[in-house]
Amino acid sequence: MKAALFVEPNVIKVQRDIPEPDFKDGVLIKVKTTGFCATDVKMIKGLKKPYRPLPMSFGHEFSGVVEKTTVPEYKEGDRVAIAPFCGCGHCKFCLTGLEQLCKTKSHTSGGSTSDFIVVNTKLAQKAGWVMPADVTWEEGAMTEPLACVILSLRSTGFQPGESVLVLGAGFMGMLHVALAKSWGASRVLVSEPSEFRREMAKKFGAEVLDPTTGVDVGDWARSLVGEGPDVIIAAAGVKPVADDAFKAAGLGTRIHMFGGMPTGTMLDVSADQIHYKRVTVLGTSGFRSIDVQTAADMIKGHSIDIKPLVTHNFSVDEAQSAFEMAQQPNALKVMMENKDW
């Protein structure tokens, strides 16, 4: 089979003589569409350790067609999207709502930049779904990132009618904007230096600020929502964004550190914000199976429109170009399609 392989920092090569994954049970999926994730970009740039020896296929946001199955919930020919992992279901993390921290997860057989991928029965049943005809391949491939954002917003205790400030309107920041609007936020504010991304945020109903103009993000947010936003999402993983989150926080604000920062990054937090002003600081990474199923229900029910977030499409053969584009400010979600079928 064919696969796009990460072979060394900043280099992707397409190879066509790779053995197909061994299939005994579960679901064998012929991959149609794969999303290029920011985590993939960090890994290929050498900023994050690869999770398998090189060369390796990569990608974990995917949709495709069932080729073979031993799982009753799936039949051959089904259009499906399945998350890249699920928890064991019986450890203390899985049993207390922290499934994403499970240490014995089930994973897919490899990266989704390959023609075929195998998903075991547990993963297929817990974190997969059959896509109806009116759901696009691209929407299906965005199930996993939407699930990550669902866990993020759920973890803040967000309630309809609350205000949300999103710092950084990359793809995941924009998913937060779309989800907050879908779940009934009273106002969604966005601070983002890229004009392209600010304009996209406006289309999703957000009020926007260009932080490079020198306007203090905290003063701006308070001019619109009074004491301060109820929820702040620090969607970009850089320290100045985290600093802006604390500047913008008001009494009782919940700050979510969504963007992953380099290991060892230290934050400067005023103790009185925590003690007297009841500012809460939290973070999540990944998703739970329930978040995947919520994402699937929202996509199937068309209660959230994430299609406009796909800005660029490439074939898997063009994976190197897709990688370069995924680093550009005028790109949100870059997709790679298997155009051989």
Side-chain angles (χ1 to χ4, degrees), residues 158-164 177 179-188:
F158 170 81
Q159 296 293 320
E162 291 190 314
S163 58
V164 178
V177 172
L179 184 64
K181 294 296 288 187
S182 177
W183 280 1
S186 58
R187 299 181 88 161
V188 178

Side-chain angles (χ1 to χ4, degrees), residues 145-160:
L146 179 57
C148 294
V149 171
I150 287 171
L151 173 58
S152 167
L153 204 53
R154 276 176 165 163
S155 72
T156 69
F158 170 81
Q159 296 293 320

Side-chain angles (χ1 to χ4, degrees), residues 4-6 12-13 34-37 40-41 43-44 51-52 56-60 110-114 319-320 323 336:
L5 302 178
F6 166 32
I12 300 170
K13 291 185 179 180
T34 294
F36 222 119
C37 174
D40 298 327
V41 172
M43 180 181 66
I44 295 169
Y51 40 88
R52 292 192 303 276
M56 57 168 276
S57 58
F58 60 96
H60 54 272
S112 55
T113 51
S114 54
Q320 182 71 44
F323 166 65
M336 293 174 288

Side-chain angles (χ1 to χ4, degrees), residues 62-76:
F62 68 95
S63 59
V65 173
V66 173
E67 285 279 302
K68 299 178 183 178
T69 179
T70 63
V71 182
E73 290 85 354
Y74 298 87
K75 64 181 187 297
E76 292 181 11

Side-chain angles (χ1 to χ4, degrees), residues 105-132:
K105 298 182 183 78
S106 293
H107 293 269
T108 55
S109 61
S112 55
T113 51
S114 54
D115 282 344
F116 293 97
I117 197 167
V118 173
V119 176
N120 69 26
T121 298
K122 179 186 291 185
L123 179 52
Q125 290 177 327
K126 290 185 67 176
W129 60 292
V130 177
M131 298 158 43

Side-chain angles (χ1 to χ4, degrees), residues 273-295:
Q273 278 194 302
I274 307 298
H275 186 76
Y276 294 107
K277 296 181 180 179
R278 293 295 301 275
V279 171
T280 302
V281 183
L282 57 113
T284 58
S285 176
F287 55 87
R288 304 164 302 175
S289 297
I290 184 61
D291 305 311
V292 175
Q293 296 302 337
T294 301

Side-chain angles (χ1 to χ4, degrees), residues 308-328:
L309 299 180
V310 179
T311 54
H312 297 83
N313 282 280
F314 294 84
S315 71
V316 174
D317 292 291
E318 301 169 315
Q320 182 71 44
S321 296
F323 166 65
E324 302 294 340
M325 179 55 69
Q327 301 175 60
Q328 302 306 311

